[in-house]
Amino acid sequence: MATSEMKSYSLSEMKDKFIGEKGTEKRENYEYELRMDVLGRMIKTARQERNLTQEQLGELVGVKKSQISKLESSTNSATIDTIIKVFKALKAEINFNVTLENQILKLS
């Protein structure tokens, strides 16, 4: 009985093949949208855990409910300043790590 082996691919290989290799515009857009989606879900989860409505969070941050809605649904690119304000209003810790020429810079 002949057996055929299936080739398996890593997630990175699949992204390279179907989305584009790292550094290409299509891949960079994909990665950015993915990060914004994760960030939006984190904001929504933290807001719900604090029993806040989008309107209440918006008032704490100084923005309209619609901007909170856009952040949560990842349809809006937000400034770092707005993201920091949102997480501070949620009393959540946020950290940014930046690697610059093999040095890690942290912003808390």
Side-chain angles (χ1 to χ4, degrees):
M1 194 192 281
T3 60
S4 61
E5 291 186 36
M6 291 183 72
K7 168 113 171 90
S8 60
Y9 296 93
S10 70
L11 178 59
S12 182
E13 289 173 320
M14 294 299 288
K15 286 191 230 179
D16 287 348
K17 183 175 181 176
F18 293 104
I19 298 168
E21 293 186 9
K22 283 187 176 185
T24 62
E25 184 176 352
K26 189 174 180 182
R27 178 71 171 265
E28 294 298 318
N29 288 340
Y30 167 80
E31 298 289 346
Y32 174 78
E33 289 173 15
L34 183 60
R35 287 188 299 270
M36 288 304 295
D37 184 55
V38 170
L39 183 63
R41 282 188 274 146
M42 288 176 10
I43 291 169
K44 184 176 183 175
T45 299
R47 176 183 60 76
Q48 289 173 334
E49 286 179 2
R50 302 291 190 269
N51 295 314
L52 293 170
T53 65
Q54 289 178 338
E55 186 171 357
Q56 290 168 326
L57 179 56
E59 287 172 7
L60 290 171
V61 176
V63 300
K64 296 182 186 255
K65 173 190 179 250
S66 61
Q67 188 168 353
I68 300 298
S69 176
K70 288 177 183 177
L71 282 172
E72 290 182 358
S73 65
S74 307
T75 59
N76 185 20
S77 58
T79 65
I80 290 176
D81 185 52
T82 300
I83 293 168
I84 290 171
K85 285 180 184 178
V86 166
F87 282 110
K88 280 186 178 183
L90 291 168
K91 296 182 173 83
E93 185 177 320
I94 184 169
N95 297 296
F96 291 99
N97 294 327
V98 177
T99 303
L100 182 64
E101 295 181 7
N102 298 324
Q103 293 181 335
I104 297 176
L105 309 172
K106 293 184 179 193
L107 172 67
S108 297

